[in-house]
Amino acid sequence: MQTPERCNCGSEDCPRCYPLSRKQAEITDDDRADALDAIIEEVLDYGSFPKHGRAQIDLYEFVADNLDTSYAFELVVAALSTNKQALEIRIERLHDMVEAMLKKDIADTDMLEEMAQELANDRGQI
């Protein structure tokens, strides 16, 4: 018995083109929150998302587009001073601010939905 040829329609839910495709699990708010945290963690740790391949988010460009240049001068002045504790406080404040900006910027993107779908599918297999 021969297997039917692919119809090449391009639809991922076509049973002829993708006979082994599985149903997509429903995305929950927890999936979205976990995906958002994972994306932001990768951006802040590696400078881009995804860390390999073509970046959908580049931290350098994001900071250049969204932050005032005075933050760079503030950090340089703090680094040159002898009060290293003040530098740590400024870095932590800047980190928290950029993290909040990233969360707001990424919240309603296709990239977030795709990662949330992957997480939902992975949880559905357990």
Side-chain angles (χ1 to χ4, degrees):
M1 178 180 204
Q2 288 184 332
T3 59
E5 290 185 29
R6 291 178 56 152
C7 68
N8 295 321
C9 68
S11 176
E12 290 184 4
D13 60 349
C14 173
R16 282 184 69 195
C17 292
Y18 297 94
L20 301 177
S21 68
R22 62 180 178 178
K23 298 287 182 190
Q24 299 291 317
E26 186 175 334
I27 300 172
T28 64
D29 290 338
D30 288 341
D31 294 325
R32 285 185 185 89
D34 291 346
L36 182 61
D37 291 341
I39 291 170
I40 289 174
E41 182 179 332
E42 192 165 314
V43 169
L44 294 175
D45 286 348
Y46 301 104
S48 66
F49 177 82
K51 66 180 177 179
H52 301 296
R54 185 175 177 269
Q56 294 181 16
I57 301 174
D58 182 84
L59 185 59
Y60 182 87
E61 289 178 11
F62 183 81
V63 167
D65 292 343
N66 295 290
L67 284 182
D68 186 347
T69 56
S70 65
Y71 286 100
F73 293 121
E74 180 181 334
L75 289 175
V76 169
V77 169
L80 294 174
S81 73
T82 57
N83 186 359
K84 298 305 176 198
Q85 194 172 29
L87 177 61
E88 291 174 12
I89 293 169
R90 285 187 170 104
I91 290 172
E92 189 67 32
R93 187 175 61 219
L94 183 61
H95 181 275
D96 293 344
M97 183 175 57
V98 169
E99 183 176 6
M101 291 168 63
L102 281 167
K103 281 184 179 184
K104 183 179 176 189
D105 197 59
I106 297 170
D108 294 323
T109 61
D110 291 338
M111 166 182 50
L112 177 65
E113 288 298 312
E114 289 170 9
M115 180 166 240
Q117 185 67 64
E118 288 176 22
L119 290 174
N121 291 343
D122 290 346
R123 287 185 180 142
Q125 290 180 2
I126 295 174

